[in-house]
């Protein structure tokens, strides 16, 4: 195979007694987001193969996003549904040199990873959804918002509509702002991956979003389900699992909590189960 594994964090001798020693894990998320997964999996003895099937891009029409970021102070609540949305917004705030961009607003997020991305920049969210799903955040927000609040949701171009639709149905003014776009990647090593999966050389495949599983299946077409027959699929959360099952992909386990650490724990549990 022409693909190279990221540098192992442990030698083979050191990893021999670890939970994932000798196991190969395929990571399908965007390359920039795979570092945490590689570190955690490698620490448990796994070999990690990074094979991004999607890539993250700035909006194809950037002006609405730029204008929205310049006007964030007009919103009572700002909502982030992913780390990518946070990073894109922080980058644009820096580009425009906006001081105290979030000082007049409360911030709500889905998931601890999204919260940490903000906190690393010195911004502390007011509300973190109890469950890492958009519908859970909608319910948490409805219990917190005042009457007819103005809300900005900074997210991917293509995303589920349950969050904005739920808030609008309750009478709130909601602006959905495209902060980034996910586009299909064209991995050069698709044939090598297909061959490795076909030979049963990849023990686990991880999917961290509906878009990763959808693009994996689109990339390999009619062969996708056959290629996954000799591996075990681990999903980061129920939305990803639903997308997988809709496409006929069998999911061995869904992570709980729906985080990278939860994904690694789920993978270890499946690997160590009788």
């Amino acid at each position: 195979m022409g693909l190279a594994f990221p540098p192992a964090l442990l030698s083979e001798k050191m990893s021999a007694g670890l939970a994932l020693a000798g196991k190969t894990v395929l990571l399908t998320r965007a390359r920039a987001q795979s570092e945490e997964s590689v570190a955690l999996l490698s620490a448990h003895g796994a070999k990690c193969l990074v094979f991004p099937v999607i890539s993250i891009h700035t909006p194809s029409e950037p002006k609405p996003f730029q204008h929205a970021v310049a006007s964030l102070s007009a919103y009572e609540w700002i909502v982030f549904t992913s780390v990518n949305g946070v990073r894109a917004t922080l980058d644009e705030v820096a580009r425009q040199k906006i001081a105290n961009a979030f000082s007049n607003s409360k911030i709500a997020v889905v998931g601890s990873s999204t919260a940490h991305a903000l906190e690393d920049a010195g911004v502390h969210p007011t509300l973190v959804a109890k469950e890492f799903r958009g519908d859970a955040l909608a319910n948490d927000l409805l219990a917190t918002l005042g009457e007819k609040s103005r809300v900005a949701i900074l997210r991917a171009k293509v995303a589920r509509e349950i969050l904005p639709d739920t808030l609008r149905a309750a009478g709130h003014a909601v602006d959905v702002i495209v902060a980034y776009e996910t586009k299909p990647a064209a991995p050069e090593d698709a044939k090598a991956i297909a061959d490795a999966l076909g030979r049963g050389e990849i023990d686990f495949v991880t999917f961290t979003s509906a878009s990763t599983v959808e693009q994996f299946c689109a990339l390999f077409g009619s062969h996708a389900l056959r290629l996954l027959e000799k591996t075990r699929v681990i999903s980061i959360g129920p939305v990803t699992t639903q997308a997988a099952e809709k496409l006929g992909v069998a999911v061995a386990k869904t992570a709980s909590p729906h985080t990278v650490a939860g994904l690694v724990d789920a993978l270890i549990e499946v690997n160590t189960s009788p």
Side-chain angles (χ1 to χ4, degrees), residues 2-274:
L3 290 165
F5 292 110
L9 299 186
L10 298 169
S11 68
E12 289 187 14
K13 184 176 180 180
M14 291 174 65
S15 67
L18 299 177
L20 297 175
K23 300 300 179 180
T24 299
V25 182
L26 185 70
L27 308 173
T28 58
R29 73 189 316 183
R31 188 172 298 278
Q33 295 177 289
S34 296
E35 293 180 1
E36 182 183 2
S37 301
V38 169
L40 288 174
L41 289 164
S42 297
H44 289 286
K47 293 182 178 179
C48 299
L49 191 58
V50 179
F51 181 68
V53 296
I54 62 171
S55 54
I56 309 301
H57 298 266
T58 56
S60 54
E61 297 181 5
K63 288 187 178 180
F65 174 53
Q66 294 168 357
H67 176 74
V69 170
S71 306
L72 287 177
S73 60
Y75 294 96
E76 295 170 63
W77 281 86
I78 299 169
V79 179
F80 293 103
T81 58
S82 70
V83 172
N84 289 323
V86 169
R87 289 174 176 168
T89 302
L90 291 175
D91 287 347
E92 183 59 26
V93 166
R95 190 189 71 82
Q96 295 190 37
K97 299 180 181 180
I98 302 172
N100 303 316
F102 307 104
S103 58
N104 293 332
S105 308
K106 296 179 181 178
I107 300 176
V109 302
V110 174
S112 56
S113 295
T114 309
H116 292 329
L118 278 170
E119 290 166 350
D120 287 345
V123 180
H124 298 280
T126 308
L127 174 64
V128 180
K130 296 175 183 176
E131 298 181 41
F132 302 162
R133 306 192 319 272
D135 50 344
L137 179 57
N139 293 331
D140 291 347
L141 273 169
L142 288 179
T144 306
L145 294 175
E147 292 187 6
K148 297 182 178 179
S149 296
R150 190 174 183 200
V151 182
I153 301 176
L154 294 107
R155 67 174 207 187
K157 183 176 183 178
V158 178
R160 299 168 74 220
E161 297 299 327
I162 189 168
L163 175 57
D165 286 353
T166 301
L167 296 180
R168 287 171 180 148
H172 301 290
V174 180
D175 289 337
V176 174
I177 299 157
V178 176
Y180 66 97
E181 297 180 12
T182 58
K183 296 182 180 181
E188 297 177 358
D189 294 298
K191 184 181 184 304
I193 287 294
D195 291 343
L197 284 167
R199 291 191 297 265
E201 295 173 356
I202 294 174
D203 301 287
F204 294 95
V205 175
T206 65
F207 292 116
T208 53
S209 66
S211 58
T212 56
V213 67
E214 289 164 356
Q215 181 52 28
F216 180 94
C217 290
L219 180 65
F220 292 110
S222 60
H223 301 291
L225 298 185
R226 176 181 58 80
L227 292 175
L228 293 172
E229 287 178 351
K230 295 182 180 180
T231 188
R232 286 173 286 183
V233 171
I234 308 297
S235 160
I236 201 168
V239 173
T240 304
T241 297
Q242 289 168 11
E245 292 175 342
K246 185 177 180 180
L247 291 165
V249 175
V251 175
K253 192 168 185 64
T254 302
S256 181
H258 316 312
T259 62
V260 170
L263 187 77
V264 173
D265 288 342
L267 196 152
I268 291 172
E269 182 177 338
V270 170
N271 187 57
T272 56
S273 296

